[in-house]
Amino acid sequence: MSSFDPIKQDRFTFGLWTVGNPGRDPFGEAVRPVLDPNHIVRKLAECGASGVNLHDNDLVPFGSSAGEQDRIVSEFKKTLADTGMTVPMATTNLFTHPVFKDGAFTSNDPKVRAFALQKTMRAMDLGAELGAKLYVFWGGREGTEADACRDPRSALQRMRDAMDFLCEYSKDNDYGMRFALEAKPNEPRSEIYLPTTGHMLHFISTLKNEEMVGVNPEVAHEVMAGLSFAHNVAQAMACDKLFHIDLNGQKMGRYDQDLRFGSEDLKGAFLLVRLLEGTLGGKRYDGPLHFDAHAYRSEDEAGVWDFAKGCMRTYKILHEKALAFDSDPDVVAIIAEQNDAAIDPLLTGGYSKETASSLLGMDIDVDAIAARGLRYERLDQLLVEHLLGVRG
Ligand code: GCO
Ligand code: MN
Ligand code: MN
C-alpha cells in the first residue's frame, strides 16, 4: 500500500482563512486564537501542502498603511521562500466590510462599485507580487433580500462590466492571470446572483475575454443547491473551464458547513476524485487542489492540523481506490458490456446524408434491449466494496 502522507507534488493548497478559521459562527464567539499567517504557512508546509491562497485582508488587515503593508508582505515572502510554499491563487474580500452590505460589483451605489474595483485592483497587485496566476471571484454579497431593489439584469450587466474591466487590468499590467468564478446558491444573502457553476459557465461565454475566465466550483455550494458536484465539475472540465477547485464536505439541505473533505458523502467524493484524476479515462485536472473548509468548532490548534492532514490523506486514499476500481476486471467488463464498435462512429462522427440513411436503415431490436439488465446494481456494489476496503 502506498503512503498517503501528502507531499508538495500532490498540489494541495489551503486558504489562510480555512486553517486560520477561529471557529466563530452566528451563535458563538471564536474558540481558537487567530493564527499568524507566517505560522500557518510553516505548519502547512510541515503537513505536506504545496501552497497557500489568500484574500487581500487575510494577510494585510483592512485599512493598513502602505508602510504596514510593505512590512507584512516582505515578511510573508520570506516565509514562503524559507518553506518553498507558493501562492497559486489570490482573491478579494468583498463581503466583510459593511460597505458591501448590498453587494460589491452589483451594488446600486456607483461609489460602492468603484470601491469594489479599486479594492480588487489593489488585491490583484498584491496577488501578482506573491506570484498568483489564478484569481478567484466569489460573489459573497452579490445578491438581495428585498429583490425589488433592482432589475436582476442590471446586476448581471454590472458583474459583466466589472469582469471585462478587471480582465483588461490584468492584461495591461502583464499579470498573466486567469480568473476563476465561484458560484454559491445561498448564504450570506437570501438570493444570490449566478448561483451555480452552470450559471457561471454561461455568464463566462458573454465576457469580452472569455478565454481568460473559468470556474472555481465548490463541493458544498453545489450540494447546497441539491446538485451533483461531479456532474458540475465534469461540465466545466469538458469545456476546459475548470481553472481551480474548492474541496470540502457538506450535508444536503444544511447551512454552509465547510467540513473536512470526504467527511460526508464518501461516494460523491470518490466519484469526484475519479473524475479529477481521470482514472476512467479522459483528461486529468492538473491545477491546484484547494481545500476550502475548516476544522470543527470542537478543536484546538492541534485539531486544525489533524483536519488539514485528513483532507489531504482522504484525497490520496480515494485516488488509490479509484485506480483500483477502474482496473478491476469486473468493473471494466460491466462498463464495456454495452459498447458496440460498429455503431459508435455513426453517433460521434457528426451529420452526413450517408450516416442519416445508415441510421434510418438500422434494424434495432428495442424489445431485446429493453429486456436486458445492465448490472448496475453489481457495479455500484463493487464501488461500495472498494470503498469499504474489502476489494482492490
Ligand atoms: C464561502 C466561499 C469562500 C470563497 C473565498 C474565495 O462559502 O465563504 O466558499 O470561502 O471560496 O472567499 O473567494
Ligand atoms: Mn464556501
Ligand atoms: Mn469557496
Side-chain angles (χ1 to χ4, degrees):
M1 196 186 281
S2 13
S3 159
F4 298 119
D5 292 339
I7 52 171
K8 288 223 154 53
Q9 290 73 4
D10 294 323
R11 316 185 318 279
F12 292 132
T13 64
F14 288 82
L16 282 182
W17 71 95
T18 63
V19 283
N21 184 303
R24 191 175 293 111
D25 73 14
F27 306 97
E29 295 301 336
V31 293
R32 295 182 284 268
V34 171
L35 300 176
D36 175 74
N38 297 284
H39 174 67
I40 292 180
V41 170
R42 281 190 286 271
K43 290 300 289 184
L44 282 176
E46 254 175 62
C47 292
S50 73
V52 66
N53 304 315
L54 48 94
H55 301 86
D56 45 357
N57 303 136
D58 298 338
L59 182 62
V60 184
F62 188 93
S64 299
S65 68
E68 280 162 345
Q69 166 147 348
D70 286 351
R71 186 192 56 72
I72 293 169
V73 174
S74 68
E75 186 189 352
F76 193 67
K77 279 162 89 172
K78 184 172 179 315
T79 308
L80 292 170
D82 289 350
T83 53
M85 293 277 279
T86 60
V87 177
M89 177 274 259
T91 184
T92 328
N93 183 326
L94 295 173
F95 42 88
T96 298
H97 195 285
V99 71
F100 299 123
K101 62 190 172 196
D102 193 25
F105 300 135
T106 64
S107 165
N108 281 354
D109 184 340
K111 286 191 289 308
V112 175
R113 302 207 296 278
F115 181 60
L117 283 178
Q118 182 188 87
K119 192 170 194 291
T120 305
M121 288 189 281
R122 288 183 179 145
M124 286 170 67
D125 299 342
L126 171 65
E129 184 177 354
L130 297 172
K133 291 289 176 205
L134 280 161
Y135 206 84
V136 163
F137 290 86
W138 168 56
R141 298 191 186 273
E142 310 290 12
T144 59
E145 286 80 32
D147 219 17
C149 74
R150 74 177 68 82
D151 182 332
R153 289 172 296 187
S154 313
L156 294 176
Q157 186 55 43
R158 289 172 187 166
M159 189 72 95
R160 185 175 300 117
D161 289 341
M163 288 304 128
D164 286 344
F165 186 91
L166 293 167
C167 282
E168 294 299 333
Y169 184 73
S170 171
K171 283 165 49 179
D172 199 24
N173 286 282
D174 288 326
Y175 286 161
M177 283 174 176
R178 296 194 304 161
F179 290 2
L181 310 189
E182 178 177 346
K184 182 172 176 177
N186 52 272
E187 291 189 46
R189 301 302 296 273
S190 171
E191 297 288 352
I192 294 188
Y193 302 121
L194 298 166
T196 71
T197 297
H199 289 85
M200 286 299 184
L201 286 172
H202 176 265
F203 174 72
I204 290 166
S205 74
T206 70
L207 297 178
K208 290 210 176 87
N209 291 281
E210 189 186 340
E211 70 297 335
M212 268 180 74
V213 188
V215 289
N216 177 37
E218 173 169 321
V219 177
H221 299 180
E222 307 298 327
V223 172
M224 284 161 81
L227 301 174
S228 154
F229 187 60
H231 289 195
N232 280 272
V233 169
Q235 188 179 356
M237 288 175 87
C239 53
D240 286 327
K241 288 295 189 193
L242 186 66
F243 287 6
H244 196 260
I245 192 161
D246 277 1
L247 301 168
N248 56 17
Q250 171 75 28
K251 286 188 183 171
M252 173 118 59
R254 305 291 165 88
Y255 63 93
D256 188 13
Q257 294 176 308
D258 284 340
L259 300 167
R260 191 177 73 256
F261 177 64
S263 62
E264 291 298 329
D265 186 16
L266 260 183
K267 196 196 273 185
F270 169 87
L271 291 168
L272 173 68
V273 173
R274 181 193 197 214
L275 175 72
L276 293 173
E277 298 297 335
T279 63
L280 177 63
K283 211 165 145 192
R284 287 179 64 231
Y285 166 74
D286 60 7
L289 293 162
H290 174 236
F291 298 101
D292 187 6
H294 51 79
Y296 301 143
R297 207 160 172 271
S298 53
E299 302 310 288
D300 59 7
E301 189 187 328
V304 170
W305 308 119
D306 287 340
F307 148 85
K309 286 183 209 147
C311 287
M312 297 188 279
R313 281 181 64 80
T314 300
Y315 188 98
K316 294 189 75 159
I317 295 166
L318 290 173
H319 185 188
E320 181 161 297
K321 298 261 177 219
L323 286 167
F325 181 72
D326 280 317
S327 54
D328 181 328
D330 291 358
V331 170
V332 174
I334 294 173
I335 294 173
E337 209 160 77
Q338 296 175 64
N339 282 353
D340 189 327
I343 297 175
D344 220 37
L346 294 178
L347 304 174
T348 54
Y351 179 82
S352 71
K353 279 199 184 312
E354 297 68 40
T355 306
S357 75
S358 304
L359 286 169
L360 287 165
M362 260 173 70
D363 186 14
I364 301 169
D365 186 347
V366 292
D367 291 333
I369 298 170
R372 191 179 72 203
L374 300 182
R375 303 175 67 212
Y376 291 165
E377 278 290 356
R378 171 92 182 114
L379 180 67
D380 195 73
Q381 181 63 22
L382 286 166
L383 191 162
V384 169
E385 294 196 10
H386 273 273
L387 275 182
L388 292 180
V390 296
R391 222 182 141 96

